[in-house]
Amino acid sequence: MPRRDPGPSIKDKDQYEALRDKGYSKEKSARISNSQGAEKRGGKSGDYEDRSKQDLYTEAKKADIKGRSKMTKKELMHALRNN
């Protein structure tokens, strides 16, 4: 039996289908696959305190933070967290 696309609102379609195969309802499968899909995509901002100023500067450059060359490590951490 071909699988049907559950739609764009499902974030982890493979997990959704596996849950449906186990007998979970559409709603419960969607809820579980979406909540765990968010954890896979997201991430914490990182432990900036453990990183060097150069690493933080590189991240700030990628994020196009203005004035980064004159910032201290503490200012870079603040800018990255609030960007």
Side-chain angles (χ1 to χ4, degrees):
M1 175 182 231
R3 295 184 186 253
R4 296 179 61 184
D5 186 12
S9 63
I10 304 299
K11 293 177 177 62
D12 188 343
K13 293 179 182 181
D14 292 332
Q15 185 178 32
Y16 173 85
E17 290 297 334
L19 292 168
R20 291 291 291 141
D21 290 344
K22 287 183 179 180
Y24 285 80
S25 69
K26 290 179 182 179
E27 293 82 13
K28 188 168 186 176
S29 298
R31 187 171 54 247
I32 292 170
S33 63
N34 286 343
S35 68
Q36 292 179 350
E39 291 173 10
K40 290 179 187 175
R41 279 191 331 275
K44 60 184 197 175
S45 62
D47 296 324
Y48 290 132
E49 291 83 10
D50 298 336
R51 297 173 66 183
S52 70
K53 181 180 176 183
Q54 184 60 44
D55 288 340
L56 297 174
Y57 176 83
T58 303
E59 288 299 314
K61 188 174 182 178
K62 289 179 189 175
D64 196 30
I65 294 174
K66 304 295 181 203
R68 63 187 173 268
S69 64
K70 296 179 182 172
M71 291 183 180
T72 64
K73 181 177 178 178
K74 189 172 183 177
E75 291 169 331
L76 285 167
M77 289 188 300
H78 183 271
L80 287 166
R81 287 184 176 133
N82 296 302
N83 183 26

